[in-house]
Amino acid sequence: EEYLEKVCSVTVLGESDVMQEFLADSSESTNGLSDVDLRIALPDRNIITVTVKKNSTADEVYRAVQEHLRMDSITASFFTLFEVVDHFFERKLVPNEFPHKLYVQNYTSAAAGTCLVIRKWLFTMAQEELLNDNDLAVTYFFHQAVEDVKKGRIRVGDKSYQLQKLSEQHKKVMYLNMIRTCEGYNQIVFPHCRCDSRRKGHVMAAISIQHFKLHACTEDGQLENQVIMFEWAEMHQWDTDEEGMAFCFEYIRGEKKPRWVKIFTPYFNYMHECFERVLCELRWRKEMEEAGHNEDNGNSSSGMVRTWGKEECVEIL
């Protein structure tokens, strides 16, 4: 495997038809039941190797990661498996996707020898704060935040010096408490793409627990001044257009008529997942606020942490 990685690091060799044919799934005779080793990058930049079946799904691979790390189910619900698309963007894998196929296809471009990484799958900061006593979760939150600052995803402004000192001293909880006040934290920004509400140029879509934002840009991704922000309460319905490779949403603003917007992105399924996740977390936050109100009135509900399944939020006490 190490030899293949070195050979494929030479683009002309790695992307040649012969090499791609060799790397393609050629195990029809074993029906994908043969064991393979997958290297997975963790938020703290360590890399682990898990042994799975060649036809294992993303869900199955992630469970293997959980077992390797001895990660409890609550912690596991706030992270998941992503593919590194480029230096600035990672795409969440869908549960039935085949990570091994992505793994071999990305020999030529994968940093650190793997395109598969574990990243946070959470938008709600209040939920993170409830996990301050969870060493593994805090460690991963901390390292991902440090990396996101380096990549310019989080804008720290005049907090740069303080954050640097906290990072050097590994004061993780204090670092996280400060970084959560910075712009861009827990926000996913998608690569620029076409949008039917914009005649010329592209947009960059950004999703956070606060809002859904479309930032106007040129066709080559240079940001412009126009920014449209949508409150989540304005979202009426949303869906994907598989044939048109687009994410569509309808919003209602004030007394105006509902309006549909279509965003043409190859990551339309991931954008849809982000919408679903944010709105699930917003429901959870509302329930938490109501629970807090009930506690003030004498009905105890302290210590509540949430973990998400595929279809619903599940309460863990």
Side-chain angles (χ1 to χ4, degrees), residues 296-316:
D296 290 340
N297 292 331
N299 300 318
S300 178
S301 60
S302 60
M304 187 168 72
V305 180
R306 299 291 289 221
T307 180
W308 283 270
K310 293 180 182 178
E311 302 296 336
E312 62 182 357
C313 300
V314 181
E315 186 173 288
I316 302 295

Side-chain angles (χ1 to χ4, degrees), residues 1-15 19-20 22-23 36-41 47-50 99-100 102-116:
E1 185 175 322
E2 291 180 3
Y3 174 78
L4 277 175
E5 288 173 4
K6 290 179 180 178
V7 171
C8 291
S9 65
V10 181
T11 303
V12 68
L13 296 177
E15 295 183 355
M19 182 59 75
Q20 287 300 308
F22 174 76
L23 293 174
V36 294
D37 289 339
L38 297 182
R39 293 205 287 179
I40 315 288
I47 293 180
I48 61 171
T49 300
V50 295
H100 179 261
L102 293 172
Y103 189 75
V104 297
Q105 287 175 345
N106 285 277
Y107 265 135
T108 58
S109 58
T114 182
C115 66
L116 303 176

Side-chain angles (χ1 to χ4, degrees), residues 2 14 25 60 75 109 136 144 149 167 170 194 196 218 226 242 250 253 264 283:
E2 291 180 3
D25 189 1
E60 292 167 336
T75 306
S109 58
L136 184 61
Q144 182 170 320
V149 169
S167 174
H170 282 266
R194 288 195 304 115
D196 67 352
T218 62
Q226 186 180 8
E242 299 279 344
E250 184 186 49
R253 182 165 286 177
F264 299 92
R283 289 195 297 273

Side-chain angles (χ1 to χ4, degrees), residues 128-183:
E128 286 190 20
E129 293 168 358
L130 291 175
L131 294 167
N132 278 348
D133 293 331
N134 185 318
D135 289 340
L136 184 61
V138 167
T139 295
Y140 285 176
F141 292 158
F142 167 76
H143 284 285
Q144 182 170 320
V146 170
E147 190 66 20
D148 286 347
V149 169
K150 290 179 181 177
K151 292 182 177 180
R153 293 171 172 170
I154 302 174
R155 289 164 290 284
V156 299
D158 58 6
K159 298 183 178 71
S160 178
Y161 178 78
Q162 292 170 283
L163 286 167
Q164 181 64 31
K165 286 300 180 183
L166 291 173
S167 174
E168 291 172 357
Q169 296 166 7
H170 282 266
K171 294 183 177 179
K172 300 171 188 176
V173 173
M174 293 178 65
Y175 181 95
L176 288 169
N177 288 339
M178 182 173 291
I179 198 72
R180 287 180 185 127
T181 66
C182 297
E183 183 183 356

Side-chain angles (χ1 to χ4, degrees), residues 221-238:
Q222 296 297 315
L223 292 177
E224 299 178 344
N225 293 328
Q226 186 180 8
V227 180
I228 301 177
M229 289 191 183
F230 301 93
E231 300 299 326
W232 290 111
E234 296 176 330
M235 294 298 168
H236 185 236
Q237 54 183 325
W238 51 93

Side-chain angles (χ1 to χ4, degrees), residues 18 82 113 183 195 213 221 245 265 296 307:
V18 173
F82 285 75
E183 183 183 356
C195 177
K213 179 170 66 176
M245 293 187 68
T265 170
D296 290 340
T307 180

Side-chain angles (χ1 to χ4, degrees), residues 1 4 22-27 30 32-40 50-62 81-83 91 93-94 96-107 114-116:
E1 185 175 322
L4 277 175
F22 174 76
L23 293 174
D25 189 1
S26 59
S27 59
T30 62
L33 297 179
S34 58
D35 288 340
V36 294
D37 289 339
L38 297 182
R39 293 205 287 179
I40 315 288
V50 295
T51 301
V52 295
K53 300 300 180 184
K54 184 173 286 190
N55 64 351
S56 293
T57 63
D59 265 357
E60 292 167 336
V61 171
Y62 186 52
L81 197 58
F82 285 75
E83 174 199 10
R91 176 187 67 88
L93 271 61
V94 295
N96 60 353
E97 202 164 351
F98 300 110
H100 179 261
K101 186 175 182 180
L102 293 172
Y103 189 75
V104 297
Q105 287 175 345
N106 285 277
Y107 265 135
T114 182
C115 66
L116 303 176

